[in-house]
Amino acid sequence: CEEILLRYHSKQFVPVIVRPATVCGYSPRLRLDLTVNILTNHAINKGQITVFGGTQKRPNIHIDDITDLYLDLLTQPDQLIEGRVWNVGYQNHEVCQIAQIVKKVVGKDNVEIVTTPSDDLRSYHISSAKIYRDIGFKPLYSIEKAVEDLAEALRLGKVTDPMNNEYYFNIRRMKSLNIG
């Protein structure tokens, strides 16, 4: 898709490619099937976090950072951003580190972290140095902040039936709509 978009560059169409890390934190249409969010959901609602493997790296970015970037890109001069391709993330952590962050932020001494073996040891690690060099974009919000925001939303009931509601789980939703 990136190559196609870049091919259609014109004065009326200025493509910019943003490759975001996994977006985390609370939003009205959040996903609870992604690492930081699912671990936070389980810590709050089950008191237990299951980590499969744990050594896999996952890059993340707070929802507020990525939306701020999208808004900022709309105000940038075309010549500064046209045809640019950027990875955008903030922190790369191992899943076991994310679980420890969630446990600490959620503040429940009774949150248990259970680690089980996994055959899926894929890791993802990105650098956002290029976008910082090019336009000075630097994320402001940490994984801890994402966990705080989501934990508060869960505790306040802003997320309806967070363990079961297919609205927050893409694969479940697609299957129920017969599109997956």
Side-chain angles (χ1 to χ4, degrees):
C1 164
E2 292 177 3
E3 291 176 11
I4 294 168
L5 288 172
L6 293 172
R7 215 176 339 183
Y8 286 95
H9 175 262
S10 70
K11 287 187 181 217
Q12 293 78 32
F13 182 69
V14 179
V16 178
I17 308 297
V18 174
R19 297 173 180 160
T22 302
V23 179
C24 58
Y26 174 73
S27 68
R29 176 45 182 104
L30 77 143
R31 289 186 55 192
L32 291 174
D33 52 2
L34 302 171
T35 307
V36 172
N37 293 354
I38 195 170
L39 296 181
T40 303
N41 186 26
H42 284 222
I44 296 290
N45 290 302
K46 290 176 60 177
Q48 182 181 69
I49 298 170
T50 302
V51 174
F52 297 95
T55 59
Q56 309 93 315
K57 281 202 171 182
R58 295 291 183 264
N60 291 280
I61 188 162
H62 193 285
I63 182 72
D64 290 345
D65 281 322
I66 198 68
T67 55
D68 287 350
L69 171 62
Y70 293 145
L71 292 173
D72 182 56
L73 289 172
L74 293 172
T75 67
Q76 294 287 339
D78 291 354
Q79 64 273 17
L80 189 61
I81 63 170
E82 59 190 347
R84 302 307 305 241
V85 179
W86 292 303
N87 292 329
V88 181
Y90 183 39
Q91 296 170 304
N92 296 286
H93 285 300
E94 290 183 350
V95 174
C96 62
Q97 294 171 312
I98 295 170
Q100 290 297 329
I101 290 168
V102 169
K103 181 175 179 164
K104 179 182 172 194
V105 172
V106 165
K108 287 188 174 180
D109 291 333
N110 60 343
V111 172
E112 179 185 11
I113 297 175
V114 176
T115 304
T116 63
S118 176
D119 292 337
D120 185 358
L121 299 177
R122 292 173 294 163
S123 283
Y124 308 100
H125 184 272
I126 67 169
S127 170
S128 298
K130 182 178 173 188
I131 194 168
Y132 180 73
R133 276 191 319 269
D134 291 350
I135 64 170
F137 177 78
K138 183 176 181 181
L140 302 175
Y141 303 102
S142 64
I143 290 174
E144 288 84 355
K145 176 70 170 136
V147 174
E148 288 169 9
D149 294 347
L150 182 53
E152 179 182 5
L154 289 165
R155 288 179 177 136
L156 292 175
K158 290 183 177 181
V159 182
T160 306
D161 193 14
M163 295 303 293
N164 301 304
N165 189 340
E166 70 183 32
Y167 181 73
Y168 305 113
F169 301 85
N170 281 6
I171 299 299
R172 288 186 202 170
R173 183 71 175 151
M174 289 177 6
K175 284 182 180 179
S176 76
L177 296 172
N178 292 318
I179 58 175

